[in-house]
Amino acid sequence: MPQQKDIVKIAIQMPGAYPQLIQLDQKKPLTAVIKEVCEKWNLPGPDNYALQYADGIQTYITESNRLDIKNGSILHLTKAPGRHAEDLYKGIQCSDSGVRCDSLKLLATVSTDITFAQEFISRDGHSLLVKIVEDSHEAPLIMTHTLTAFMELMDHGIVSWENLSSVFIKKIASFVNAKVLDTSIQQVSLAILESMVLSSSSLFNEVKLEVTLERLLSHLQVTNQQLQTKAMALLMAMLQAGREADRQELFEFLEKKNLRQYIHKNIIHSSSSVGDEMAHYLYVLQTVRLNHLEPRMRTPLDSYSQDQRDKLHGLRQAAFETESESGLSNERRRSLCAKEFKKLGFSNNSNPGQDLSRCPPGLLALDTMAYFASRYPDAYSRFVLENSSREDKHECPFARSSIQLTLILCEILRIGEAPSETGSDYHPIFFAQDRLLEELFCICIQLLNKTWKEMRATQEDFDKVMQVVREQITRTLSSKPTSLELFKNKVNALNYSEILKLRQTERLHQEETLAPPVLELKERLKPELLELIRQQRLNRLCHGTLFRKISSRRRQDKLWYCRLSPNHKVLHYGDVDEETETPSIEALQEKIPVADIKSVVTGKECPQMKENKGKQTKEVLDLAFSITYDVEEYSLNFIASSRTDFCLWTDGLNVLLGKEMSSESMRSELEILLSMEIKLRLLDLENVPIPDTAPPIPKPPSNFNFCYDFSQAEQ
């Protein structure tokens, strides 16, 4: 008695007969099952029959795959694969062209099944197909079916591609090279050549000799997307299969023939959408081509290389109008160079080559900077001179920014990564531009300077700015711009305020998808965390801050200090010397009771801004705030040194007045705290004991012999 798990309930059907519902015993031989089915339908010769799946891919059922049959499967009683192979083998040799055409068409369909393919190949059927191709006497439709059937049979790997004759290879290549031929024949011929190229180096060389590359490129200009895709597939196979020298030779040929322009014009621009297979080939071509930059990316600057040193000093000379250095002493020349390299934004101004020792981006960073300086000299000079004249805190360092930006572009473009088998993320812009990395850099370094100013960034904000710039680039590239100009317009339109809006929108959308209990928890946590931020703001006001006064000549005139008393009732302020760090409350002569403060105003609403209307820069306006106090509306005017101080003080003053905090810093900090708190609350702490008191500090060790004595090493 078979066990229940060995029984599968299935239906078996056959044209002209009622289906049979049977319980298939998986331990019973298939021949016995087929014999029982044939007996119920009174069919003689059960050896001439086999079972196939009726739905989907109609695979033959064999002893090796029968365990894949599921309950409820519908099977079809059909010709046995051996009998089917014999019938088709005879049919394709029939003198009647109609019979030959039908047999080859059916052969192309059933050859996808490996069981049938083994039977047909065992009868040397594949050689018969090779002969039909070599003779080339058949009509285009019959030839298409022949090539398709041959391709399906060879895909099983039963017969080696290297067994094919030179006559056959030349014939297939002639189909591809032909200017006038049925496109269906050319599509299958291209697929056959692709498989040949990928199977062995000897076949790669033979195909390379026979296929006319100009004709192959012409297939990319046709409107038939399937033909374009097959032509691209063969090109990619030739690029991947050959030796390094072969690949380089082919690349140079394709560059001369403007392959990327072919693709941009005839594939990307001419069609509304690119198929998945073509997208993969475009991704592979882009990846392989960009990877030629990898050696530069992995190589640090060589201080002994005269060419590299000249390139580095060329950046300095292009930025600053220096007098002839020939008459200067070595010490004076070194001092001048160090000063100018510092203005360029190098961290190690006495030896700027050290900045380029990190790999990646290595020498690629020097290449991109030099390209920008030579290709767009006005923009380069403007960037450097504009930032070298700013205050130290607010200058955007060109060299440091360029090195980090080059690294970001390498990561976004995945330079140095091998193409994956399933990748399809290509950039249409790559096919419209010869030097994509360099041109992207030139646009993005100017974008970085623009974003730096929009964020009113200081040196401490460097990483934050780079994070925003990375987001601007990735968001723009994800929209698949087809030209450099389109990329430039889109990325510049995506300013810092737009990035903040997008982040907020995405955050709100993310919140909408949260489960109701999580949203409820978030609302419960907000008051507690807002109180934490309020206390932090008041503590900052108690510590105090150094402010500057701007004279009518717009230069730093005097410094003054302001701080809140510990009981939060009085603001103390007064002028201080530049060397003063944190003056005591007693040292600050002036004071304003918090109870007398009427309001806090910012920007253009500040009294000192109204008095100098039109004379203040946007930077000063964005950092200005005032408090009005007393019945006569006196005011105390502030200009913060950074946006952070501005947010801390305006928030703190609003807290003192019993108003809501409204700065962007508060919103950002609240979001971070909420996110962290929710993650902590949602941790699975079941069966994890949490002590009520902190664990005791362990006793110190009996000796410290395990420590390394550096003094001994120095001696």
Side-chain angles (χ1 to χ4, degrees):
M1 186 76 179
Q3 295 183 11
Q4 192 64 32
K5 65 178 182 179
D6 297 325
I7 300 298
V8 183
K9 296 178 181 180
I10 61 171
I12 300 178
Q13 61 184 20
M14 185 182 73
Y18 288 107
Q20 296 184 32
L21 301 176
I22 69 168
Q23 292 189 355
L24 175 63
D25 182 0
Q26 290 286 32
K27 290 190 174 180
K28 183 184 288 186
L30 269 180
T31 52
V33 174
I34 293 170
K35 184 179 179 181
E36 289 177 3
V37 171
C38 288
E39 286 174 353
K40 287 185 180 181
W41 278 327
N42 297 318
L43 296 174
D47 293 343
N48 293 323
Y49 294 94
L51 292 174
Q52 260 184 340
Y53 286 106
D55 300 322
I57 301 173
Q58 297 177 347
T59 309
Y60 278 106
I61 305 298
T62 64
E63 292 292 350
S64 61
N65 66 16
R66 63 181 294 173
L67 294 178
D68 295 333
I69 301 173
K70 308 296 182 189
N71 275 316
S73 296
I74 301 175
L75 304 184
H76 183 69
L77 188 69
T78 186
K79 286 182 184 179
R83 179 185 162 197
H84 205 177
E86 188 65 34
D87 291 347
L88 290 179
Y89 185 79
K90 292 176 181 177
I92 62 179
Q93 297 180 82
C94 182
S95 57
D96 186 332
S97 62
V99 174
R100 289 201 308 278
C101 186
D102 291 341
S103 298
L104 286 163
K105 182 179 180 181
L106 183 55
L107 178 64
T109 302
V110 298
S111 292
T112 56
D113 187 285
I114 190 168
T115 306
F116 171 84
Q118 288 169 337
E119 292 289 345
F120 190 78
I121 290 171
S122 69
R123 289 165 173 75
D124 209 24
H126 63 291
S127 298
L128 187 58
L129 298 180
V130 169
K131 188 175 185 309
I132 293 173
V133 173
E134 289 177 350
D135 292 343
S136 196
H137 297 317
E138 297 289 4
L141 183 58
I142 293 179
M143 185 59 71
T144 301
H145 294 325
T146 303
L147 292 169
T148 305
F150 174 80
M151 184 69 195
E152 295 294 349
L153 289 169
M154 295 298 290
D155 270 352
H156 295 295
I158 301 168
V159 180
S160 172
W161 286 96
E162 295 192 47
N163 293 339
L164 297 173
S165 66
S166 296
V167 175
F168 178 82
I169 296 170
K170 287 180 180 180
K171 182 59 69 176
I172 297 294
S174 72
F175 292 156
V176 172
N177 292 333
K179 292 185 178 180
V180 181
L181 192 67
D182 187 272
T183 55
S184 298
I185 293 176
Q186 291 187 321
Q187 285 176 37
V188 188
S189 298
L190 285 163
I192 291 172
L193 291 177
E194 179 195 358
S195 296
M196 287 182 188
V197 164
L198 294 173
S199 65
S200 75
S201 56
S202 59
L203 284 175
F204 164 79
N205 292 324
E206 205 161 344
V207 170
K208 183 184 169 188
L209 289 173
E210 297 299 333
V211 174
T212 308
L213 287 174
E214 283 86 351
R215 185 63 189 143
L216 199 55
L217 290 176
S218 70
H219 288 313
L220 298 177
Q221 301 178 63
V222 299
T223 55
N224 187 319
Q225 285 193 6
Q226 289 180 313
L227 188 58
Q228 284 181 338
T229 301
K230 295 300 180 186
M232 180 61 71
L234 178 54
L235 274 174
M236 292 302 99
M238 294 175 76
L239 283 171
Q240 289 178 280
R243 296 171 304 170
E244 184 60 38
D246 294 322
R247 285 199 293 270
Q248 192 58 38
E249 181 185 344
L250 184 55
F251 258 130
E252 289 173 4
F253 172 82
L254 295 175
E255 288 294 316
K256 287 179 183 177
K257 295 295 181 181
N258 296 322
L259 171 65
R260 281 182 288 177
Q261 282 77 359
Y262 269 104
I263 293 170
H264 192 259
K265 179 181 177 182
N266 299 293
I267 297 177
I268 295 173
H269 256 316
S270 64
S271 59
S272 57
S273 63
V274 173
D276 292 342
E277 193 177 355
M278 177 61 83
H280 171 67
Y281 296 136
L282 295 180
Y283 154 78
V284 172
L285 178 60
Q286 170 189 289
T287 305
V288 173
R289 194 67 189 116
L290 284 173
N291 278 352
H292 83 283
L293 297 169
E294 184 180 7
R296 299 288 289 178
M297 185 181 76
R298 305 288 184 198
T299 307
L301 184 134
D302 180 3
S303 57
Y304 294 102
S305 168
Q306 188 62 45
D307 288 343
Q308 293 175 22
R309 285 163 57 194
D310 289 346
K311 207 171 191 178
L312 189 58
H313 281 277
L315 292 173
R316 178 180 62 83
Q317 291 160 354
F320 307 107
E321 293 182 6
T322 55
E323 299 176 3
S324 175
E325 298 174 9
S326 57
L328 300 177
S329 65
N330 289 338
E331 186 177 343
R332 174 63 181 147
R333 188 184 298 112
R334 279 196 299 271
S335 174
L336 178 65
C337 290
K339 182 180 177 182
E340 291 179 345
F341 276 127
K342 183 179 180 181
K343 286 184 178 180
L344 271 175
F346 282 95
S347 302
N348 193 332
N349 52 295
S350 59
N351 185 11
Q354 288 291 326
D355 290 30
L356 296 164
S357 61
R358 183 177 58 156
C359 294
L363 286 176
L364 208 51
L366 179 60
D367 295 341
T368 52
M369 286 189 281
Y371 183 86
F372 179 47
S374 61
R375 184 84 170 80
Y376 304 99
D378 292 341
Y380 171 69
S381 297
R382 187 163 56 250
F383 185 115
V384 175
L385 296 177
E386 176 186 318
N387 285 287
S388 61
S389 62
R390 285 187 195 172
E391 293 181 33
D392 287 347
K393 282 187 177 180
H394 293 280
E395 64 181 3
C396 178
F398 172 74
R400 184 185 175 194
S401 301
S402 297
I403 293 167
Q404 189 63 26
L405 177 61
T406 305
L407 178 62
I408 287 173
L409 289 173
C410 287
E411 290 171 353
I412 292 173
L413 298 175
R414 296 179 180 176
I415 296 173
E417 292 183 23
S420 72
E421 294 181 2
T422 56
S424 59
D425 186 19
Y426 73 95
H427 301 296
I429 194 174
F430 166 79
F431 300 95
Q433 189 60 48
D434 287 334
R435 303 188 68 170
L436 177 65
L437 177 73
E438 291 88 341
E439 289 293 342
L440 278 182
F441 173 85
C442 293
I443 293 172
C444 295
I445 192 66
Q446 295 175 78
L447 167 75
L448 191 152
N449 190 37
K450 173 174 167 282
T451 303
W452 185 281
K453 289 186 283 188
E454 289 170 354
M455 294 175 68
R456 295 174 290 276
T458 62
Q459 295 291 337
E460 289 76 18
D461 301 316
F462 182 83
D463 291 336
K464 184 180 177 182
V465 175
M466 298 311 298
Q467 187 180 0
V468 172
V469 170
R470 178 192 285 271
E471 190 172 340
Q472 289 171 316
I473 298 168
T474 51
R475 284 183 183 273
T476 305
L477 285 177
S478 66
S479 68
K480 303 287 185 184
T482 54
S483 69
L484 206 62
E485 191 62 32
L486 196 56
F487 171 82
K488 182 178 180 180
N489 293 337
K490 284 188 173 185
V491 81
N492 280 301
L494 196 61
N495 54 36
Y496 180 53
S497 61
E498 285 297 317
I499 289 289
L500 292 178
K501 288 177 186 176
L502 287 169
R503 287 177 177 176
Q504 180 68 12
T505 303
E506 290 166 0
R507 193 179 296 121
L508 290 173
H509 177 71
Q510 192 176 17
E511 287 179 358
E512 289 171 3
T513 61
L514 291 173
V518 177
L519 289 173
E520 185 181 341
L521 175 61
K522 195 169 185 179
E523 289 304 315
R524 284 172 52 193
L525 291 171
K526 267 186 181 179
E528 179 185 340
L529 296 176
L530 278 170
E531 182 57 32
L532 185 67
I533 296 173
R534 288 190 196 99
Q535 290 302 319
Q536 187 270 339
R537 297 300 195 256
L538 292 175
N539 289 340
R540 183 60 185 266
L541 264 61
C542 289
H543 181 271
T545 304
L546 191 67
F547 294 96
R548 58 193 172 96
K549 293 180 180 179
I550 301 295
S551 71
S552 59
R553 295 184 297 280
R554 294 190 190 179
R555 62 181 177 83
Q556 189 167 317
D557 192 13
K558 288 183 180 180
L559 296 174
W560 64 286
Y561 204 89
C562 185
R563 61 186 297 181
L564 180 67
S565 63
N567 61 8
H568 301 170
K569 291 185 177 181
V570 180
L571 274 178
H572 297 266
Y573 66 96
D575 293 345
V576 293
D577 295 329
E578 192 170 350
E579 294 79 16
T580 306
E581 291 186 2
T582 306
S584 63
I585 286 179
E586 293 75 18
L588 303 173
Q589 301 299 318
E590 306 292 335
K591 62 182 179 180
I592 301 172
V594 171
D596 291 346
I597 298 176
K598 304 301 180 186
S599 65
V600 178
V601 292
T602 61
K604 295 178 181 178
E605 300 303 316
C606 297
Q608 80 268 36
M609 296 297 112
K610 289 180 178 179
E611 291 171 7
N612 297 297
K613 192 174 182 181
K615 297 181 181 180
Q616 298 293 356
T617 63
K618 185 177 183 301
E619 180 186 0
V620 172
L621 279 171
D622 289 340
L623 297 175
F625 62 97
S626 301
I627 57 175
T628 59
Y629 60 96
D630 258 348
V631 289
E632 296 183 17
E633 294 289 323
Y634 290 112
S635 66
L636 182 62
N637 304 315
F638 300 75
I639 295 176
S641 60
S642 67
R643 190 67 184 175
T644 301
D645 282 345
F646 174 87
C647 293
L648 289 170
W649 271 84
T650 52
D651 281 345
L653 291 169
N654 279 322
V655 170
L656 288 173
L657 296 178
K659 297 180 179 180
E660 293 293 326
M661 297 178 290
S662 59
S663 73
E664 64 264 27
S665 290
M666 182 278 297
R667 290 192 293 271
S668 174
E669 289 167 22
L670 178 62
E671 195 59 42
I672 292 169
L673 290 170
L674 275 172
S675 177
M676 289 174 60
E677 192 67 26
I678 286 174
K679 287 174 183 175
L680 288 171
R681 297 288 182 101
L682 296 179
L683 281 176
D684 184 9
L685 296 177
E686 189 176 353
N687 299 323
V688 178
I690 301 176
D692 295 328
T693 58
I697 299 172
K699 294 180 180 180
S702 58
N703 62 69
F704 293 90
N705 295 337
F706 54 85
C707 294
Y708 183 78
D709 190 350
F710 285 94
S711 61
Q712 294 294 327
E714 290 174 1
Q715 290 174 6

